[in-house]
Amino acid sequence: MTHEYSTQELMIIAAARQIADGERIFVGMRLPITAYGVARLTHAPNAVGLFESGVARYEPADGMLYTMCDGPNQLGAAWTTGLIQIMGLLSGGRVHAGFIGGAEVDRFGNINTSYIGDIDDPKVKLPGSGGAPDIAAMAERLVIIINHQKHRLVEKVDFITSPGYLDGGDARKKAGLPGAGPAVIITDRAILKPHGPSNEFHLASIHPGHTVEEVVGNTGWDLKSFPEVEQTPEPTKEEMDALHHIDKEGFWRS
Amino acid sequence: MTHEYSTQELMIIAAARQIADGERIFVGMRLPITAYGVARLTHAPNAVGLFESGVARYEPADGMLYTMCDGPNQLGAAWTTGLIQIMGLLSGGRVHAGFIGGAEVDRFGNINTSYIGDIDDPKVKLPGSGGAPDIAAMAERLVIIINHQKHRLVEKVDFITSPGYLDGGDARKKAGLPGAGPAVIITDRAILKPHGPSNEFHLASIHPGHTVEEVVGNTGWDLKSFPEVEQTPEPTKEEMDALHHIDKEGFWRS
Amino acid sequence: MSLSEAISTFVQDGCNIVLGAALENAVPFAATHELIRQGRRELNMIAPISDISTDMLIGAGCVTEVTGAWVGNVSGGMGHNFRRAAEKGLPHPIKVNDYSNFTIGMAFFAGAYGLPYIPVKTILGSDIMKSNKNIRLAEDPFSGEPVALVPALKPDVAFLVVQRADKAGNSHIWGSTGLTQEASIAANKIIVLADEIVEPEVIASDPSRVLIPGFGVDAVCHVPAACHPAPLIGKWKRDNHFFHDYHKETRDPADFDRWCDEWVRDLPDHEAYRAKLGGQLEDLRILGDIPSAPANYATE
Amino acid sequence: MSLSEAISTFVQDGCNIVLGAALENAVPFAATHELIRQGRRELNMIAPISDISTDMLIGAGCVTEVTGAWVGNVSGGMGHNFRRAAEKGLPHPIKVNDYSNFTIGMAFFAGAYGLPYIPVKTILGSDIMKSNKNIRLAEDPFSGEPVALVPALKPDVAFLVVQRADKAGNSHIWGSTGLTQEASIAANKIIVLADEIVEPEVIASDPSRVLIPGFGVDAVCHVPAACHPAPLIGKWKRDNHFFHDYHKETRDPADFDRWCDEWVRDLPDHEAYRAKLGGQLEDLRILGDIPSAPANYATE
């Protein structure tokens, strides 16, 4: 290892690798928007970033964004328009992928950002869906980003805000959902991918410095592994340079 | 009669009187747009003109228009936008009236601008509907303008492009149409209005110089009269001045 | 018309209100404050996302129903008042009508343009189909496939912030607009909060930049920085600290009350609010000028 | 890319084509001509109203299906070719799929934004419900009232004229747009005919004036006056005489053939068409400048 990186920086770079050149991506704030910036500066110079408030950009915004509606995200944008116009692109194969996070994700990639506990008497009322269900339903593929803790990667979410593979198998297709579903869950310890006809998420790759036992022990379901569990490749110098160029203040370095 | 006017000028002024101040009106080209201009200059200075291509105007355009999309109709407009935005205003009580014409109108105010003869083997293929059915369905009331000839005012139109009262009575309401339906037919000889529960059009007013016998003889159905048939009031000096101000070239004078 | 007058004229207790539909910019916070000051009750707040506006109104006891996709503090975390109301019924219980951003967009679109409902696919498989009883699962009669029917939403009143308007409410908006157009046209009454009042000629010089025509507007109020602490493109930067402080200072009900007294109830109007912000607001004012290329509307 | 290349790449015989969806302005007549020159056959022409474009294509034998609300000559009267085809099957029969303007708008909207169909009220009671077999009468499951279900339309290719674009297809449109946005996004391929090619910075200076983003555009062709004889706001006046002459000179099939040879088939491309028009075209060029008020996008 010739260069230092934080766990968060590794997650950003793993996320950036999910973006192919020329793709149109629904980019959230924080970690995914940084990943988008890294991808644009490295292997995906022609990617397009979409923001559900009604913004599409080629070049990432200059400077730190607190919300997708901030001025720097609109200055010089490819398009500032309405939510229907932007989110409507999800249909018709015009959007390749979306990034979303959540409070909970389950073994079939279903995501909860709505209620912990009972709907009518919730233990925690989470902020809600935003546009995540729409992106989860329609994008060609979904990238889920979440911290790897037992209460976050759970057997079954209390509330499916954004559908993954629902009860697994072909349940998603039967429900009439056009997009293919979540392709990957990127955590701070590992990368999980859907396996076989059940579409249950299995361990696909472990981040450097972590072990299978630790990952399984921090997962809320009986996590199985792909036949060959890889080690997540370390960030390259080019990737780290791009990230440092974007994250000038070192927000993600700790 | 202290001032000369043509039949067409009388029709324009009769149409202008259908516009109340502050109303939003779907204005077609030619005769109705001139009527709108007269109304704005006389009794309806706050009327708003809507054009289905996506234009809304306060002041009528300066100069002769050949289509609603011509530059002079867009310069200084209140709104240049899309068709859905403008026509969408028809719902929710935001549009008070619409003007439409046609090749044929029948005793219940149904209008044909599509097919003369059989649909599958038409004698005449007319240009089609444009936005007229939408306006006919949704506007609070409809003003129909047509020349008074036996083959134009017919017992039953070959094809209902834009619905009036359909088969009469409450057929229109039963069909689920939100707007109240045609309020008036203005011809070059007379003004007809729907009568009683049948909603059949009866003779309401005769233009100066015309007779009941002549009007009935040029109507394709057995035209009945309101108990008191009025004479259409002659244009006032103010109305004629307004019309001459708009129609500087005397297009409507012959 | 003053904002106070517009609200006392057009907003009654129990109204269904859209207060900002552009998501995180152009949020009409000045109207949020005035609704709290006038003590409106039993409001149904409808919006995809209105940053902390909805949380404030809930904390002040104005709200019994929330219709939307997201309630919280976009840069600051969860909304304490929203959580307290939903979890503990404090200051009183609220009913939450969940939508996703696109489905509430379709509900507004249907309401705006006279469609009884819209069939969508983007909410299939989500438990929002279970929690929101207004949305129905049905079969697409053309294909036989499942489809979710989202009925039209027709709010009573919509508030929107625009960069500039003339006295008649003809206005210009630029930057992303979220669901502003659909939500406003769907509403029965439209109240425009204009950052700047300009001559009619300025608006008429560019009718394609008009989002809602003046003849559809019921009241236009001149309220500079009505969006604070949210941003307004070309006019005001976002006050990120304010959102952060709100999160810290509203952790429990007594704290929220203190915050709300200081920033809302103890101030007579938005002018006093701006004066209280003072230099903090001035620092957010955009002084630079990066103008759009002109469009030519000449006819000759 | 040249227009000739764009059409040979993206348009096959049998395609469903939107050629102008702005109604009477910005009609891409240059594409009409090139489709005739390349001898495309069995096209389905889809548009609310495209003035005489559809009539020309019918007369040249390119069309077997017409989907829209109105076909004719807006200022000149009926379309002789449309009538001949519908009434006498000359040059060959055409199938007409009737819509009203709003319902074809809803069909495009559904196609653009992934909705299987849209329930509308504006076509109830019209015999269009009988002549267009795609539209179904149904019951609104919420209210029990009648409703017309209009299925999504997904054209293969859409052509649109814009005032200015950069080389990547990012473009600005102003003035009324009819159904341009919905019809284009609904289409599988989008071909932009730019009146002027400008630097990317010009377009990026005003992202709110973009109707279709460049990343959605499949080909951008620089074709000045592609709209002739239709108008383009701020660029070209309408050639009213040309529409009138077309009406007079296409009364019977032999006349139309002569007209079409002279104005389309005997000319290699649009540059030659512009050269043939010569001073007549120059007289239509808008020389004045009535610029829009600038919008400020500065962030500081």
Side-chain angles (χ1 to χ4, degrees), chain B residues 52-53 66-70 74 81-83 115 123-125 127-131 133-134 137 160-161 166 175-177, chain D residues 24-25 69-71 75 82-83 86-87 98-102 106 122 124-128 146 175-178 233 238 240:
Chain B
E52 59 201 83
S53 54
Y66 288 82
T67 82
M68 54 186 155
C69 295
D70 289 5
Q74 309 219 25
T81 182
L83 184 147
Y115 300 89
K123 199 176 138 227
V124 183
K125 179 69 193 85
S129 65
D134 311 308
I160 301 176
T161 311
L166 301 173
L177 289 160
Chain D
E24 293 109 351
N25 57 348
W70 199 94
V71 177
S75 62
F82 179 53
R83 284 195 60 182
E87 295 167 17
D98 292 309
Y99 283 86
S100 68
N101 277 345
F102 188 72
M106 289 297 104
T122 74
L124 293 171
S126 169
D127 285 340
I128 292 177
S176 65
T177 54
I233 300 306
R238 191 169 192 270
N240 298 307

Side-chain angles (χ1 to χ4, degrees), chain B residues 11-76:
Chain B
M11 285 176 84
I12 288 168
I13 281 159
R17 291 170 184 158
Q18 294 293 325
I19 300 173
D21 196 20
E23 286 193 325
R24 295 142 201 176
I25 312 290
F26 264 94
V27 181
M29 283 295 101
R30 296 165 183 265
L31 195 149
I33 200 177
T34 313
Y36 172 73
V38 170
R40 282 266 320 182
L41 284 174
T42 54
H43 62 281
N46 301 299
V48 179
L50 307 176
F51 302 86
E52 59 201 83
S53 54
V55 177
R57 287 194 73 84
Y58 302 113
E59 294 257 338
D62 194 20
M64 174 83 178
L65 297 179
Y66 288 82
T67 82
M68 54 186 155
C69 295
D70 289 5
N73 206 36
Q74 309 219 25
L75 174 64

Side-chain angles (χ1 to χ4, degrees), chain D residues 6-295:
Chain D
I7 286 180
S8 61
T9 307
F10 293 111
V11 182
Q12 287 79 47
D13 287 355
C15 269
N16 302 300
I17 295 183
V18 174
L19 200 148
L23 278 64
E24 293 109 351
N25 57 348
V27 183
F29 278 105
T32 312
H33 302 166
E34 187 58 28
L35 287 167
I36 293 173
R37 274 187 215 108
Q38 294 197 14
R40 285 292 172 286
R41 286 293 176 271
E42 298 185 14
L43 302 178
N44 175 15
M45 300 309 299
I46 312 176
I49 293 174
S50 275
D51 220 317
I52 55 175
S53 163
T54 308
D55 192 71
M56 285 182 197
L57 286 158
I58 292 170
C62 305
V63 179
T64 49
E65 205 168 333
V66 170
T67 299
W70 199 94
V71 177
N73 182 328
V74 172
S75 62
M78 310 253 255
H80 301 299
N81 291 311
F82 179 53
R83 284 195 60 182
R84 272 192 289 272
E87 295 167 17
K88 296 176 192 155
L90 295 174
H92 41 65
I94 51 168
K95 184 181 175 214
V96 178
N97 304 301
D98 292 309
Y99 283 86
S100 68
N101 277 345
F102 188 72
T103 53
I104 198 167
M106 289 297 104
F108 286 142
F109 185 86
Y113 301 132
L115 312 167
Y117 58 93
I118 303 262
V120 305
K121 291 191 168 277
T122 74
I123 202 72
L124 293 171
S126 169
D127 285 340
I128 292 177
M129 295 285 292
K130 295 176 192 164
S131 73
N132 185 333
K133 304 284 187 280
N134 299 320
I135 302 177
R136 289 195 198 183
L137 186 65
E139 196 178 86
D140 172 353
F142 295 94
S143 69
E145 288 178 12
V147 72
L149 308 184
V150 179
L153 265 178
K154 299 274 300 169
D156 296 311
V157 185
F159 293 90
L160 67 155
V161 166
V162 306
Q163 278 99 338
R164 61 189 177 210
D166 66 19
K167 282 182 185 165
N170 298 294
S171 54
H172 278 175
I173 300 183
W174 59 97
S176 65
T177 54
L179 296 170
T180 306
Q181 185 172 53
E182 297 81 9
S184 302
I185 296 180
N188 207 10
K189 300 288 176 192
I190 301 177
I191 301 176
V192 165
L193 280 66
D195 205 72
E196 188 185 355
I197 297 285
V198 297
E199 292 302 312
E201 293 73 27
V202 175
I203 307 302
S205 79
D206 196 358
S208 287
R209 205 181 292 287
V210 170
L211 207 68
I212 318 285
F215 60 82
V217 168
D218 296 280
V220 53
C221 311
H222 182 209
V223 188
C227 59
H228 179 272
L232 183 63
I233 300 306
K235 294 283 183 181
W236 301 98
K237 288 181 278 189
R238 191 169 192 270
D239 193 342
N240 298 307
H241 290 295
F242 197 94
F243 285 95
H244 186 69
D245 292 346
Y246 178 82
H247 187 73
K248 277 196 311 187
E249 293 168 15
T250 61
R251 281 190 201 279
D252 60 56
D255 284 346
F256 173 77
D257 270 336
R258 265 191 298 276
W259 184 93
C260 194
D261 283 345
E262 181 184 351
W263 286 101
V264 183
R265 293 195 197 103
D266 291 349
L267 301 172
D269 55 23
H270 200 263
E271 197 177 339
Y273 176 85
R274 291 194 299 271
K276 178 172 163 62
L277 283 166
Q280 180 179 349
L281 183 60
E282 281 312 305
D283 287 346
L284 299 167
R285 187 189 293 276
I286 290 169
L287 301 168
D289 188 24
I290 303 183
S292 58

Side-chain angles (χ1 to χ4, degrees), chain C residues 163-210:
Chain C
Q163 279 100 336
R164 61 189 176 210
D166 66 20
K167 282 181 185 168
N170 299 294
S171 54
H172 278 174
I173 301 184
W174 57 96
S176 64
T177 53
L179 296 169
T180 305
Q181 186 172 52
E182 297 81 7
S184 302
I185 296 179
N188 208 8
K189 299 289 175 190
I190 302 178
I191 300 176
V192 165
L193 279 66
D195 205 72
E196 189 185 354
I197 297 286
V198 297
E199 290 303 311
E201 293 71 29
V202 175
I203 308 301
S205 78
D206 196 359
S208 287
R209 205 182 291 287
V210 170

Side-chain angles (χ1 to χ4, degrees), chain A residues 19-20 54 59 103 180:
Chain A
I19 301 172
E59 295 257 337

